[in-house]
Each structure stands twice: as structure tokens, then as C-alpha cells.
Amino acid sequence: MAKQPWDRMEGESDKAYRAFCLFRDAGADRTKVGVVRDLEMRPNYINTITGWAKQWDWDVRARQYDDYYLKQHELMIQEQYADLRMESRTMRQNIIDVLQNMLGQVIVKWRDDLTPKDLAHIANAARVIMDQSRIEFDDMPQHRKVSTDNKKLEVVYVDEQYED
């Protein structure tokens, strides 16, 4: 794997890199004073931390780390969403299979007793189940844009069965 900007820089001491890691990992609340506090050093140690931060470009490296982490997080969420959608589709298909089987059995067994209204109720119940599943996962063909504070990320979801 290629060396990343937030990795230890050539010539960066163990102490300076450890302090940078505390700074980097503090996220939006990061401050040099916070690093001094986390290292349990005397307040005058801020001069050393400030020097290291300038020498080793902490602000830029931390921002690059944040951008990378955010992108990885967004990709993970997209993968989880895609997995949930696929599970939802599988569940809907299983429901359809069960309902078709049950409907077939009901029709064979109760053919003479079923009215068109009964069949309409059964079909409506199946439709409601399917619609609720689609609504829950927003599983309709669409073009969706997701934006973050740092940049815009365009995500396009298209359901294969609706493609022209």
C-alpha cells in the first residue's frame, strides 16, 4: 500500500508522530492545546507541539486524513445500503413465491367459495406488503445526489428491472 500523508514522515520522531496521531484522531475538536493535555504535559510544551505541527504540516495531513476517512465511510454506507436493497428484493421475491403458492392452494381448495372480492382482498394485501418494502428501502429507479460538507458525491441507483 502506498504511503499516505498521515503516515509517519521520513525524519519525524516517535514523539512528534505520536503527538500528530493524537491531533489527527481528535477530529473536528482537534487543537494543539488538546494534544498537550492528552500527553499530560506542562502548558509550556505547546511551543514544542506548535513547532512540530508547523514542521510536519499537521493541519494539511489531518485534513487529508479526514477526507480519506469520510470517503471510506461514505463508501461503506453505500455498500451497506446496496446490501439492504438486495436483501429486500430477495425478501419480496420470497413473499411473492409464498403468496402465489398460498393463493394457488386457496383457489384450488376453495374455488367455488371465493368471490372476486375475496381475490381482490388477497391481491391487495400482497401489493401492500410489496409497496411497504419498496418504500422502506426507497427501492424505485431514481437518480440521487448525496452531498457532504467537503464535496459532492453523486450516487445513481437504477433498478435493473426498470431499465429500458
Side-chain angles (χ1 to χ4, degrees):
M1 185 170 153
K3 188 170 181 146
Q4 301 295 338
W6 52 87
D7 291 338
R8 187 173 178 177
M9 306 292 283
E10 189 173 325
E12 190 173 19
S13 70
D14 289 342
K15 288 181 180 181
Y17 184 64
R18 179 172 177 245
F20 167 70
C21 289
L22 290 171
F23 181 77
R24 175 196 69 196
D25 295 345
D29 297 331
R30 69 174 55 102
T31 64
K32 293 164 190 76
V33 172
V35 172
V36 172
R37 183 190 62 244
D38 291 346
L39 289 172
E40 299 177 357
M41 305 302 279
R42 290 185 308 250
N44 65 347
Y45 199 65
I46 189 69
N47 295 331
T48 302
I49 295 297
T50 301
W52 285 343
K54 185 175 181 179
Q55 179 182 2
W56 299 110
D57 214 7
W58 283 11
D59 290 325
V60 170
R61 290 167 67 196
R63 215 172 15 259
Q64 289 171 326
Y65 178 79
D66 291 344
D67 290 345
Y68 173 82
Y69 182 79
L70 178 62
K71 181 158 179 84
Q72 294 305 309
H73 185 70
E74 288 170 347
L75 291 172
M76 179 191 68
I77 288 172
Q78 289 173 19
E79 288 173 9
Q80 290 174 345
Y81 184 77
D83 290 346
L84 283 173
R85 287 185 67 204
M86 289 306 294
E87 289 174 19
S88 174
R89 287 180 183 163
T90 301
M91 178 192 67
R92 283 194 306 268
Q93 186 58 51
N94 290 340
I95 290 170
I96 289 170
D97 293 344
V98 167
L99 290 173
Q100 283 177 333
N101 186 13
M102 290 174 64
L103 186 56
Q105 291 175 15
V106 166
I107 290 172
V108 167
K109 187 172 183 179
W110 309 94
R111 182 176 309 161
D112 297 332
D113 297 333
L114 286 176
T115 66
K117 188 174 183 179
D118 294 332
L119 290 173
H121 284 300
I122 293 169
N124 190 49
R127 185 189 54 76
V128 168
I129 291 168
M130 303 308 289
D131 287 349
Q132 285 299 314
S133 178
R134 282 192 177 278
I135 290 168
E136 180 179 351
F137 289 99
D138 196 20
D139 202 13
M140 298 292 183
Q142 60 185 293
H143 185 90
R144 178 185 315 174
K145 287 188 179 182
V146 178
S147 45
T148 66
D149 292 338
N150 293 342
K151 57 190 141 208
K152 287 192 175 183
L153 177 67
E154 184 173 351
V155 183
V156 179
Y157 298 102
V158 177
D159 194 330
E160 298 80 12
Q161 72 186 27
Y162 292 103
E163 289 182 0
D164 292 329

